[in-house]
């Protein structure tokens, strides 16, 4: 009885590879999407269902991405692609939170103790901004490798002056409206 087990399984005859071979196929797929301008074509076509917006909270630009980032972005991208296939005009503008303690802590962790001793707050903020810009570039590449489609050439970054000016304008409206005041207890 010299028959192999594989000879007894009725599998379809196909040219489709049994292995994903992602290291080879992924760049080919990315190149295909880019060469055909798939995202741009989706953005420019008729949208009989109207517009669809999914507001996405930005990740901190404080290091490499992890599985939580991947899950978050891939699920949201799937929703955007699904809505586009339903006939909606979908525009995804990626963004990054480039301010705050998580980024400053990462910068401080990467410095020697002797470098931190005479560091002024302005120098720390400048180093944090530089670190955030580098990290945004790395995270952008990762999101694109995940297959996320969006306006990656024009993201919003919280460290851009136009973004900061808009936030200050909104804060001013809140102050003028009496929503910002000094009290005895912190707000929760």
């Amino acid at each position: 009885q010299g028959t192999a087990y594989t000879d007894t399984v009725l599998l379809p005859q196909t040219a489709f590879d049994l292995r994903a071979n992602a290291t080879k196929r992924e760049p080919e797929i990315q190149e295909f999407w880019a060469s055909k301008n798939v995202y741009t074509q989706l953005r420019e076509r008729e949208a009989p269902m109207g517009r669809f917006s999914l507001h996405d909270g930005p990740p901190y630009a404080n290091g490499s991405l992890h599985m939580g980032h991947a899950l978050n972005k891939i699920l949201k991208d799937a929703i955007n692609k699904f809505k586009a296939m339903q006939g909606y005009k979908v525009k995804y503008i990626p963004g990054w939170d480039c301010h705050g303690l998580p980024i400053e802590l990462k910068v401080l962790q990467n410095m020697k103790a002797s470098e931190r001793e005479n560091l002024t707050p302005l120098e720390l903020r400048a180093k944090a901004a530089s670190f955030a810009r580098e990290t945004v570039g790395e995270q952008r590449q990762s999101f694109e490798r995940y297959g996320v489609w969006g306006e990656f050439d024009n993201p919003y970054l919280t460290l851009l002056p136009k973004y900061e000016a808009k936030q200050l304008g909104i804060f001013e409206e809140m102050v003028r409206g009496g929503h910002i005041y000094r009290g005895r207890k912190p707000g929760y």
Side-chain angles (χ1 to χ4, degrees):
Q1 197 133 37
T3 58
Y5 176 74
T6 56
D7 296 333
T8 66
V9 179
L10 299 176
L11 295 175
Q13 298 299 316
T14 177
F16 191 77
D17 287 334
L18 293 177
R19 297 186 186 279
N21 202 7
T23 55
K24 178 179 175 276
R25 296 287 298 146
E26 182 184 313
E28 292 172 359
I29 292 168
Q30 297 288 337
E31 178 58 35
F32 174 80
W33 288 342
S35 69
K36 300 290 184 188
N37 290 321
V38 175
Y39 178 72
T40 304
Q41 287 183 29
L42 279 175
R43 293 271 310 122
E44 293 174 353
R45 70 179 184 156
E46 292 292 320
M49 300 297 289
R51 294 174 181 262
F52 174 78
S53 295
L54 187 143
H55 297 280
D56 185 17
Y60 276 110
N62 67 335
S64 299
L65 299 178
H66 54 69
M67 288 305 295
H69 291 110
L71 179 64
N72 178 301
K73 288 293 185 221
I74 291 168
L75 289 176
K76 290 174 181 175
D77 185 61
I79 292 167
N80 285 338
K81 288 174 180 167
F82 176 73
K83 287 297 189 178
M85 288 188 287
Q86 286 184 316
Y88 288 91
K89 186 174 286 288
V90 176
K91 182 177 184 179
Y92 171 61
I93 300 173
W96 280 269
D97 190 339
C98 301
H99 288 108
L101 195 55
I103 297 167
E104 291 174 2
L105 283 175
K106 196 68 161 183
V107 169
L108 290 170
Q109 288 171 355
N110 292 334
M111 295 175 73
K112 296 176 184 168
S114 59
E115 294 173 321
R116 291 192 300 255
E117 283 179 16
N118 298 322
L119 188 66
T120 68
L122 289 177
E123 291 170 335
L124 175 59
R125 288 187 198 119
K127 287 181 182 296
S130 175
F131 178 81
R133 288 183 187 279
E134 289 175 24
T135 304
V136 164
E138 293 168 11
Q139 289 185 359
R140 171 193 169 162
Q141 286 179 331
S142 294
F143 288 142
E144 289 177 327
R145 294 262 331 258
Y146 294 164
V148 174
W149 292 344
E151 310 284 319
F152 283 101
D153 291 333
N154 190 26
Y156 74 90
L157 307 175
T158 59
L159 58 68
L160 294 177
K162 68 180 182 179
Y163 186 88
E164 291 175 331
K166 184 71 172 170
Q167 294 302 307
L168 288 172
I170 292 169
F171 187 73
E172 179 186 21
E173 288 176 26
M174 293 169 62
V175 169
R176 291 183 190 277
H179 303 290
I180 306 295
Y181 58 90
R182 184 174 297 226
R184 290 187 225 177
K185 295 183 180 180
Y188 293 100

